[in-house]
Amino acid sequence: MLNKLTPWGNIIAWEEKKNEVTLIGENENLKISIVSDKIIRFHFSKNRTWKHNYSFAIEKNLPTKEINLKEDTDNILIKTEFLKVLIRKDLGTIEIYDSSNNLLHSDYKNLGYAKYKNKVFSFKKFIQEEAFLGLGEKMGGLNKKGKKFINWNTDDPHHYPHTDPLYQSHPFFLAWNPNYSYGIFFDNTFRTYFNMGEESSEYYYFYADNGELDYYFIYGPTPKEVIENYTYLTGRYYMPPLWSLGYQQSKWGYRDKNIVMNLAKTFREKNIPCDVIYLDIDYMDGFRVFTIDEDKFPNIKDMIQKLNNIGFKVVPIVDPGVKKDINYEVYKEGIEKDCFCKKSTGEIYIGYVWPGECAFPDFTKDKVRKWWGEKQRKLIEIGVSGIWNDMNEPSSFPHPVENFSKSFEKNNTFWGIFADHSEETFYEKTFPKDVTHGEKEEFSHDEIHNIYGLLMAKTSFEGWKKEKPNIRPLILTRAGFSGIQKYSAVWTGDNKSWWEHLYISLPMLQNLGISGIPFVGADVGGFGLDCSPELFARWIEVGIFYPFLRNHSELNTKPQEPWSFGKEIEEIAKKYIKLRYKLIPYLYSLFYEAKEKGIPILRSLILEYPDDKECIHNDDEFMIGPNILVAPIYKEGQRARTVYLPKGKWYDFWTLKTYEGGDYISVKAPLDIIPIFIKEGSIIPMWEEQNYIGEKENEILEIILFPGKGEFLYYEDDGITWNYEEGIYNLINFEKKDETLKITYIHRGYDSHRKKFRIKYINKYVEIEDNKLDFEIHLD
Ligand code: MIG
């Protein structure tokens, strides 16, 4: 195949203008700009022009730095504080070195940029790439080396080990070895392909079906710094509303008011904490978006008010498909205002989703985003606290859904077409190829497809902000693209109640985190099929560590609420959900780090121990922040497991037994125990248990200390408003030396309910009033 490609050729000349170097190649040109001393952009022309001088993922104007360039007979050399980019004139090969002249990254021969018809390629030579991480939401383990992937947002409910693609596209990977990490963000929204050594042991490559070769080389050297730099480009998540860190309950089939009210009452009667109840498509009138089925949900505003009164928030689903029904206001308006996607012939594209024939909003248009945002008012007025965006790949069936679901139930054949990826299959479950987007039909669906979900989530978020400027929403989305984290939380779609899917959530969420998305979760208990009692117990044990914690399941599956599996499992679920609520101050502080630096809450061990190879191989463990290591049980009947503990001392969370890390240990795990280990020197802020956020004033913040030295940055704000953006928050640094604890306000802007710290250290409590600014206490 390689010989079919046209390389960009040798370099003939170069010119520099406004912090941008243009290298004139034999066949194409390359613009290089320096975003920072660690981020370099390479943007190649296509047919000697650059049409794609915009980005859907990077929404800010990137500053560029002055370029330090030197030329000799053979090479062009560009230097930043940390990097040297060397371009060989004869072949156009790009090599990147660190400041001590170690080769970090290199093009493969002259194929750093090559073209074949509309496709643009970049081939890279294997240097020391021992692992590839990131790439968003993919099946398979943590390390993507030796595998290949396609990015084309797809509603595929199977999630088999080889299923690809799924709902999200993140053309970003992090290349790791024990000495350094770097990342590449390929800023191209067309179908993109990543072959990470599946074809060759000499090279790996990525390409796109169309668009331009525009990518950013992102240096670490640590994995965390790569993520920080990547999210500097694509953006970071805001502080989530505090209640969204609570337990959330959902099911397709909560189909009337009584069911919902009884559900809420049961949580409170059983004293099982819960903050959110979801309304799936059942609440709508004939699946018409922004309507309510008044028969099943009479006076829904009152229902939501009653739920709010007992501590529940309500989040409804919003799908993009608008039922084709001229008597239906949203459809009528959409037609009048020219809001729907069209075919190249100019007629409105009609597909099939739950409501039957549907038109789909074109979120690339400003006026459509504004219109759809305003439509949300209807939901906001009845008192919802967030918006759940589904089907936004966009998913659209080629024939009516009734037929579709029948054939699906019978033999699954329809979905099977995704087993092979011939060109046509890409369009079987979404818009056809000839749909266009944009004010002047300037975009093909091929270009917009992967960002449809991103634009919808942006619309939901921005629409919300206009309607309720000072209340943070929970926006949840199934589809997304790089940068989705600016707007939304992400759940991993239609998994099944399989042990394999409990396992797969572990590397999948780690890689989503590495891809810049901190607020992630999989449906606890599994969406499709019936969950067994044991599987539910094991899933909730790990689920309380998912940043986004939601139990959700499909219509007509067996009940999956925490009490549906008998008393023993109910007690286990209760114990763990309560533990989740105790950990919320810790989790919320980690969200501050995510907001500031993009560092995920749920972390691959490699983020904390970047030079420890063993961490790459143990993707069935993860860390929550820097202190808590979780080693889930994900096999039926399993009552013990081996755990890899990185170097240092560790404490068993349950028994406080000490372990020396840097080795594998074996631990028992009876049904009600998930192995959890705490790093020496850890400082973990906790609240007392509560049934929902805000039930208690939390006047006491417990600070749990473990022997050894450590530090933790604690964050707090009102958990509701955007006032933190004006400095209304507190940041408190806890620093533990061997026998002293130093407490320092880094920022004091919020008058919290907290009156005391209760320091817990080896079975001893010390209570201190929080009325002095900085102080140090002696623990002995
Ligand atoms: O075609 O709204 O992933 O969470 O319950 C199925 C019904 C549509 C898919 C979502 C799932 C949701 C379901 N939806």
Side-chain angles (χ1 to χ4, degrees):
M1 190 200 76
L2 298 194
N3 53 16
K4 285 194 193 160
L5 301 168
T6 315
W8 70 300
N10 56 325
I11 294 159
I12 298 159
W14 61 271
E15 60 200 33
E16 196 185 337
K17 236 195 286 170
K18 291 193 203 139
N19 293 356
E20 196 170 77
V21 183
T22 305
L23 306 184
I24 316 291
E26 196 184 351
N27 301 311
E28 292 292 353
N29 304 345
L30 164 64
K31 283 185 193 168
I32 299 177
S33 48
I34 312 291
V35 178
S36 77
D37 288 313
K38 292 186 174 182
I39 307 176
I40 303 179
R41 180 181 183 186
F42 299 91
H43 189 177
F44 287 89
S45 67
K46 192 169 184 183
N47 309 321
R48 300 262 189 215
T49 58
W50 287 270
K51 280 198 192 141
H52 292 259
N53 274 315
Y54 51 86
S55 172
F56 291 103
I58 303 174
E59 293 188 68
K60 59 181 173 200
N61 288 324
L62 292 177
T64 51
K65 299 190 73 163
E66 209 178 304
I67 292 180
N68 169 358
L69 184 147
K70 280 196 195 111
E71 187 186 12
D72 61 29
T73 15
D74 299 329
N75 307 308
I76 288 165
L77 184 70
I78 295 172
K79 265 193 189 173
T80 75
E81 190 186 336
F82 300 105
L83 298 170
K84 290 179 189 165
V85 181
L86 185 121
I87 302 127
R88 301 194 182 272
K89 287 187 193 167
D90 54 351
L91 297 170
T93 312
I94 300 171
E95 293 173 350
I96 301 177
Y97 297 80
D98 67 13
S99 49
S100 339
N101 284 327
N102 299 307
L103 179 62
L104 306 174
H105 174 80
S106 169
D107 283 349
Y108 179 65
K109 299 186 175 165
N110 61 346
L111 297 175
Y113 174 39
K115 245 186 357 182
Y116 175 68
K117 295 185 178 164
N118 274 326
K119 301 181 199 296
V120 293
F121 293 77
S122 188
F123 285 76
K124 306 296 188 179
K125 185 173 157 190
F126 276 115
I127 309 283
Q128 287 187 57
E129 290 80 2
E130 293 189 18
F132 291 112
L133 313 174
L135 285 166
E137 183 190 50
K138 295 292 181 193
M139 292 300 290
L142 181 69
N143 184 357
K144 301 306 189 195
K145 188 168 178 180
K147 299 176 184 171
K148 60 175 177 182
F149 302 93
I150 301 176
N151 287 319
W152 181 252
N153 291 3
T154 301
D155 173 8
D156 187 328
H158 279 330
H159 307 197
Y160 294 134
H162 62 281
T163 300
D164 185 58
L166 289 174
Y167 317 91
Q168 302 243 338
S169 292
H170 295 269
F172 163 76
F173 64 83
L174 186 154
W176 171 90
N177 73 52
N179 303 316
Y180 66 89
S181 293
Y182 68 86
I184 289 207
F185 172 47
F186 181 19
D187 194 4
N188 181 311
T189 65
F190 288 86
R191 259 191 313 277
T192 51
Y193 303 74
F194 286 77
N195 191 307
M196 312 313 280
E198 178 265 349
E199 186 175 298
S200 162
S201 54
E202 273 177 54
Y203 59 80
Y204 67 94
Y205 63 105
F206 50 91
Y207 71 101
D209 274 347
N210 211 329
E212 289 163 10
L213 185 71
D214 183 5
Y215 71 86
Y216 295 78
F217 176 87
I218 302 163
Y219 186 48
T222 65
K224 276 190 187 170
E225 283 166 288
V226 175
I227 300 171
E228 186 174 347
N229 288 326
Y230 172 61
T231 55
Y232 166 75
L233 294 174
T234 55
R236 298 176 183 136
Y237 195 57
Y238 41 94
M239 289 308 296
L242 198 53
W243 54 264
S244 69
L245 300 194
Y247 173 83
Q248 315 195 17
Q249 183 65 48
S250 182
K251 184 179 180 92
W252 180 5
Y254 288 155
R255 61 176 183 279
D256 63 41
K257 183 174 173 173
N258 284 337
I259 292 179
V260 172
M261 290 310 292
N262 282 332
L263 178 76
K265 275 189 215 133
T266 313
F267 273 104
R268 294 299 177 251
E269 277 162 19
K270 289 183 172 289
N271 191 24
I272 298 175
C274 181
D275 261 272
V276 190
I277 293 176
Y278 282 77
L279 298 178
D280 205 325
I281 51 176
D282 318 275
Y283 78 89
M284 291 182 265
D285 175 14
F287 304 125
R288 287 172 185 81
V289 63
F290 304 123
T291 68
I292 311 289
D293 184 330
E294 307 277 349
D295 294 331
K296 294 178 181 145
F297 290 93
N299 201 353
I300 196 164
K301 190 169 179 177
D302 174 69
M303 177 189 91
I304 294 177
Q305 185 59 57
K306 289 200 168 103
L307 288 170
N308 289 167
N309 293 345
I310 52 170
F312 288 95
K313 305 285 189 281
V314 172
V315 175
I317 199 167
V318 172
D319 288 350
V322 176
K323 188 178 175 68
K324 183 180 172 191
D325 169 359
I326 202 63
N327 298 315
Y328 161 42
E329 185 199 296
V330 181
Y331 180 74
K332 222 165 65 188
E333 268 182 38
I335 296 282
E336 283 161 12
K337 297 187 174 166
D338 188 21
C339 292
F340 295 127
C341 298
K342 293 182 194 152
K343 307 232 263 179
S344 49
T345 53
E347 65 184 304
I348 289 172
Y349 162 66
I350 299 291
Y352 289 92
V353 218
W354 300 111
E357 286 190 308
C358 280
F360 296 84
D362 182 357
F363 293 114
T364 62
K365 297 182 181 175
D366 295 345
K367 68 171 183 195
V368 174
R369 293 203 301 276
K370 187 163 169 272
W371 169 65
W372 193 264
E374 282 165 6
K375 289 283 120 193
Q376 288 181 173
R377 188 179 301 154
K378 178 97 193 259
L379 295 170
I380 292 172
E381 274 169 5
I382 61 169
V384 305
S385 299
I387 302 281
W388 168 22
N389 285 166
D390 187 22
M391 305 293 277
N392 51 351
E393 290 67 34
S395 184
S396 172
F397 312 123
H399 37 66
V401 181
E402 301 89 89
N403 300 349
F404 153 74
S405 2
K406 269 182 211 139
S407 76
F408 173 51
E409 275 160 29
K410 252 198 233 141
N411 49 23
N412 281 356
T413 47
F414 182 79
W415 304 86
I417 56 166
F418 279 90
D420 89 279
H421 290 288
S422 68
E423 257 283 287
E424 304 77 63
T425 59
F426 288 118
Y427 304 97
E428 290 279 353
K429 283 193 64 198
T430 190
F431 301 174
K433 205 178 166 70
D434 70 332
V435 167
T436 59
H437 299 263
E439 219 45 86
K440 296 180 193 105
E441 280 81 50
E442 71 257 52
F443 301 114
S444 67
H445 185 62
D446 271 1
E447 182 170 2
I448 298 307
H449 178 85
N450 282 340
I451 53 157
Y452 192 86
L454 170 73
L455 292 175
M456 185 179 186
K458 175 182 161 97
T459 304
S460 297
F461 177 71
E462 286 173 355
W464 182 283
K465 269 197 128 176
K466 265 200 200 137
E467 294 302 319
K468 282 205 141 180
N470 207 22
I471 304 288
R472 291 177 237 166
L474 169 62
I475 308 292
L476 176 65
T477 185
R478 192 171 71 176
F481 187 78
S482 302
I484 188 67
Q485 68 275 5
K486 288 190 288 281
Y487 306 112
S488 187
V490 167
W491 102 102
T492 57
D494 297 347
N495 59 0
K496 287 188 170 47
S497 299
W498 288 341
W499 289 93
E500 290 82 352
H501 280 181
L502 193 171
Y503 158 70
I504 205 66
S505 72
L506 312 174
M508 197 186 259
L509 297 180
Q510 291 173 51
N511 273 327
L512 273 164
I514 289 169
S515 308
I517 311 158
F519 206 13
V520 287
D523 284 345
V524 171
F527 175 72
L529 305 178
D530 298 332
C531 190
S532 74
E534 185 180 348
L535 177 58
F536 187 77
R538 292 310 196 182
W539 213 320
I540 192 74
E541 288 171 9
V542 59
I544 65 145
F545 295 103
Y546 292 168
F548 178 77
L549 165 58
R550 185 180 74 153
N551 174 348
H552 178 53
S553 60
E554 191 170 13
L555 184 68
N556 297 331
T557 54
K558 277 193 190 163
Q560 202 164 288
E561 296 75 24
W563 51 83
S564 312
F565 305 93
K567 204 68 203 155
E568 185 192 5
I569 307 297
E570 183 180 325
E571 287 308 314
I572 291 175
K574 190 197 267 190
K575 160 175 146 187
Y576 279 90
I577 298 172
K578 283 183 184 281
L579 174 60
R580 163 73 172 214
Y581 277 74
K582 290 170 88 170
L583 284 169
I584 282 178
Y586 179 69
L587 295 170
Y588 199 55
S589 300
L590 296 176
F591 268 97
Y592 174 75
E593 195 186 358
K595 174 177 85 75
E596 292 293 301
K597 296 183 175 168
I599 309 302
I601 318 302
L602 187 152
R603 301 177 183 172
S604 161
L605 273 54
I606 203 71
L607 301 195
E608 294 297 328
Y609 301 91
D611 52 7
D612 183 350
K613 275 190 191 202
E614 222 51 48
C615 292
I616 288 286
H617 307 306
N618 290 286
D619 64 7
D620 61 352
E621 303 172 21
F622 59 82
M623 293 191 70
I624 293 297
N627 294 337
I628 302 178
L629 187 149
V630 184
I633 302 295
Y634 52 91
K635 280 187 188 149
E636 190 165 9
Q638 196 176 19
R639 296 292 182 269
R641 67 163 283 176
T642 49
V643 180
Y644 178 69
L645 295 174
K647 61 178 178 293
K649 223 184 226 170
W650 295 84
Y651 294 88
D652 182 310
F653 175 77
W654 304 106
T655 64
L656 296 183
K657 185 174 167 192
T658 319
Y659 292 94
E660 200 51 56
D663 207 349
Y664 289 84
I665 60 162
S666 174
V667 287
K668 293 234 158 44
L671 186 60
D672 66 333
I673 292 292
I674 182 174
I676 303 171
F677 299 88
I678 311 290
K679 195 168 94 182
E680 66 179 322
S682 284
I683 300 168
I684 301 182
M686 283 195 185
W687 275 340
E688 63 179 318
E689 295 168 1
Q690 43 185 341
N691 276 311
Y692 56 90
I693 299 294
E695 185 196 30
K696 298 184 180 155
E697 292 275 0
N698 299 117
E699 291 183 352
I700 296 177
L701 183 72
E702 231 173 61
I703 307 290
I704 319 288
L705 303 179
F706 288 79
K709 293 189 182 72
E711 232 177 315
F712 189 77
L713 194 57
Y714 171 74
Y715 174 89
E716 62 186 1
D717 64 18
D718 66 22
I720 298 168
T721 72
W722 295 99
N723 292 350
Y724 71 82
E725 291 184 333
E726 266 74 65
I728 318 289
Y729 64 90
N730 297 328
L731 254 190
I732 306 173
N733 193 55
F734 291 90
E735 190 189 349
K736 188 172 164 296
K737 304 234 171 74
D738 284 329
E739 297 303 330
T740 58
L741 178 71
K742 200 171 159 200
I743 304 178
T744 319
Y745 271 91
I746 306 290
H747 179 90
R748 187 170 207 160
Y750 170 59
D751 192 12
S752 82
H753 296 294
R754 180 176 35 71
K755 299 212 172 79
K756 281 180 190 166
F757 297 114
R758 179 185 292 154
I759 317 287
K760 188 178 175 231
Y761 182 59
I762 321 182
N763 298 327
K764 202 168 73 181
Y765 287 97
V766 188
E767 284 202 359
I768 42 177
E769 305 284 323
D770 175 22
N771 53 10
K772 292 174 270 177
L773 264 177
D774 302 323
F775 51 96
E776 192 169 291
I777 58 166
H778 290 269
L779 299 162
D780 44 359

